[in-house]
């Protein structure tokens, strides 16, 4: 069935990565940025619900369509509570799947503006531009990803390990110190732009963006 | 005194002022040499990578005077605009600019007339540099001299931008302007990264990897722990 779904979605001009168990699904979701995710509840290794819970815990808000085997209410409720945006009970008609995927992706497109703002700092998703009234600076791809994660985390600390898996990927050869080096780049750049937010280190928890305390 | 070479046409244009201009440039060059040496003693490193200087050519000067609605005369060139004599100091790192600027302010016999910080306040096109206009009083006339202090990255950008200014391009002018601005903002970012890397190499920043949830085993295998 995966093959048929993949084929139809590709035909509708979506770019599709197909995987065959829950662990693999999680790996892909953590290392790529998708517009939408289809999860089958019944997957080997990790169930669709487990994958869903894991990615929502990591703060990934990508819309998820859950495929449930039975049209039982408890299944649907469990899925939606775990953070699914929509569900579809098997067996389903392909046109309905395509329509639901379209709605899912449309929804995510609407809520992501190009500019993210925190304090006096703006980050542009298209240009990777970090700016304040005092000027603008172009971040590198990885600096940008790091800044985006920090801005989206809304006060929750992000650990070195989380940065490592989300930016450098699971199997990366990069050594773990790279996270702190990039944090120090961002700090330097925020300071150069007279930002009123700064990256603080919380012992044992990770890094967080917070308002600059006036001395 | 053995002055640096000035084309004959330039000497003719500035007439009686040319010696004062050359004097001012020579004096600044000598002072920069001293700054270099003193910094090397103190920091074990010369912040100054390169120094360039020039007397503005009669052609560019005439253009500038006309732009300002002034008559093209040697007197106006020396008294009404400030960059007949120019010295540009190129530094390796961003913070070296601050070091050089503060040393320049200590030079005796130079009166700072104006400072323009285009590093913290870049021009719209992305131009970054620190400008100091000063007056140098010598035996005869007081002349203005413009000092520009900037990093290698800023200097590279400025020389490309300068070359593009007068060229007709095969692609749209706005595209070139946008791309130059993008490059300037990327270079500014890289200048900050390099400055920061230097500080890390010198052990000037505390590594937070372990306290912020890094896997300890990975840190040990890397160089992160060797400095502590």
């Amino acid at each position: 069935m995966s093959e048929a779904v993949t084929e139809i979605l590709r035909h509708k001009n979506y770019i599709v990565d197909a995987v065959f168990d829950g662990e693999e699904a999680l790996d892909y979701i953590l290392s790529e940025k998708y517009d939408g995710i289809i999860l089958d509840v019944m997957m080997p290794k990790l169930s669709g619900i487990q994958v869903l819970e894991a990615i929502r815990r990591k703060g990934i808000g990508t819309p998820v369509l859950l495929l449930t085997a039975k049209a039982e209410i408890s299944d649907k409720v469990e899925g939606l509570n775990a953070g699914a945006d929509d569900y579809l009970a098997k067996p389903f008609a392909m046109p309905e799947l395509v329509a639901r995927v379209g709605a899912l992706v449309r929804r995510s497109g609407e809520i992501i503006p190009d500019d993210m703002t925190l304090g006096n700092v703006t980050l542009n998703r298209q240009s990777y531009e970090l700016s304040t009234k005092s000027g603008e600076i172009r971040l590198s791809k990885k600096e940008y990803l790091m800044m985006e994660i920090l801005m989206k985390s809304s006060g929750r600390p992000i650990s070195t390990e989380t940065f490592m898996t989300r930016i450098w990927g699971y199997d990366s050869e990069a050594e773990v110190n790279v996270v702190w080096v990039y944090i120090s780049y961002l700090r330097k750049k925020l300071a150069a732009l007279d930002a009123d937010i700064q990256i603080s280190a919380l012992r044992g928890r990770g890094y967080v963006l917070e308002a600059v305390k006036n001395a | 005194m053995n002055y640096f070479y000035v084309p004959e046409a330039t000497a003719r244009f500035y007439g009686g002022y040319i010696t004062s201009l050359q004097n001012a440039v020579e004096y600044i060059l000598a002072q920069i040499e001293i700054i270099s040496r003193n910094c090397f003693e103190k920091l074990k490193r010369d912040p100054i990578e390169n120094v360039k200087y020039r007397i503005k050519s009669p052609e560019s000067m005439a253009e500038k005077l006309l732009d300002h609605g002034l008559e093209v005369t040697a007197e106006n060139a020396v008294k009404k605009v400030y960059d007949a004599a120019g010295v540009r100091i190129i530094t390796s790192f961003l913070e070296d600019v601050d070091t050089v600027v503060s040393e320049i302010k200590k030079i005796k016999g130079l009166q700072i007339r104006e400072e323009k910080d285009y590093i913290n306040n870049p021009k719209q096109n992305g131009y970054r540099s620190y400008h100091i206009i000063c007056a140098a009083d010598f035996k005869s006339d007081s002349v203005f001299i413009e000092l520009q202090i900037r990093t290698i990255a800023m200097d590279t950008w400025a020389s490309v931008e300068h070359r593009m200014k007068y060229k007709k391009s095969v692609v749209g002018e706005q595209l070139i302007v946008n791309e130059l601005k993008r490059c300037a903002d990327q270079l500014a970012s890289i200048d900050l990264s390099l400055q920061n890397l230097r500080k890390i190499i010198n052990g000037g920043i505390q590594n937070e990897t372990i306290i912020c949830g890094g896997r300890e085993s990975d840190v040990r295998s890397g160089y992160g722990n060797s400095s502590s």
Side-chain angles (χ1 to χ4, degrees), chain A residues 25 29 37-41 43 48 51-52 55 64-68:
Chain A
I29 295 166
I37 300 164
I38 304 172
L39 289 175
D40 197 326
V41 171
M43 284 190 293
V51 173
L52 180 57
I55 65 174
V64 168
L65 172 64
L66 214 53
L67 302 181
T68 59

Side-chain angles (χ1 to χ4, degrees), chain B residues 200-215:
Chain B
I200 288 175
I201 292 165
N202 292 342
I205 312 180
Q206 177 70 41
N207 188 341
E208 293 163 337
T209 300
I210 292 181
I211 71 161
C212 285
R215 289 157 294 183

Side-chain angles (χ1 to χ4, degrees), chain B residues 110-180:
Chain B
L110 278 193
Q111 290 130 35
I112 311 281
R113 289 297 170 89
E114 203 181 336
E115 286 177 69
K116 290 183 206 153
D117 182 357
Y118 294 121
I119 292 176
N120 287 311
N121 307 289
K123 285 190 184 177
Q124 193 116 48
N125 63 0
Y127 178 82
R128 285 167 171 85
S129 193
Y130 199 101
H131 291 192
I132 300 176
I133 291 162
C134 45
D137 281 315
F138 291 108
K139 299 142 221 167
S140 47
D141 282 295
S142 161
V143 292
F144 292 108
I145 180 159
E146 188 186 73
L147 305 178
Q148 299 182 349
I149 304 105
R150 58 197 189 207
T151 64
I152 300 173
M154 294 171 192
D155 191 51
T156 306
W157 183 89
S159 71
V160 173
E161 198 266 349
H162 186 77
R163 244 174 276 173
M164 299 301 203
K165 226 182 245 174
Y166 308 101
K167 291 260 164 69
K168 280 244 181 289
S169 167
V170 287
V171 296
E173 197 179 323
Q174 192 55 45
L175 174 63
I176 300 289
V177 168
N178 294 346
E179 282 303 291
L180 279 169

Side-chain angles (χ1 to χ4, degrees), chain B residues 4-15 17-18 21 54-59 61 74 84:
Chain B
F4 60 91
Y5 171 75
V6 171
E8 211 174 302
T10 304
R12 216 178 308 126
F13 175 79
Y14 290 99
Y17 294 107
I18 193 68
L21 292 171
R54 61 108 181 85
I55 303 290
K56 202 178 187 80
S57 75
E59 297 79 30
M61 183 51 88

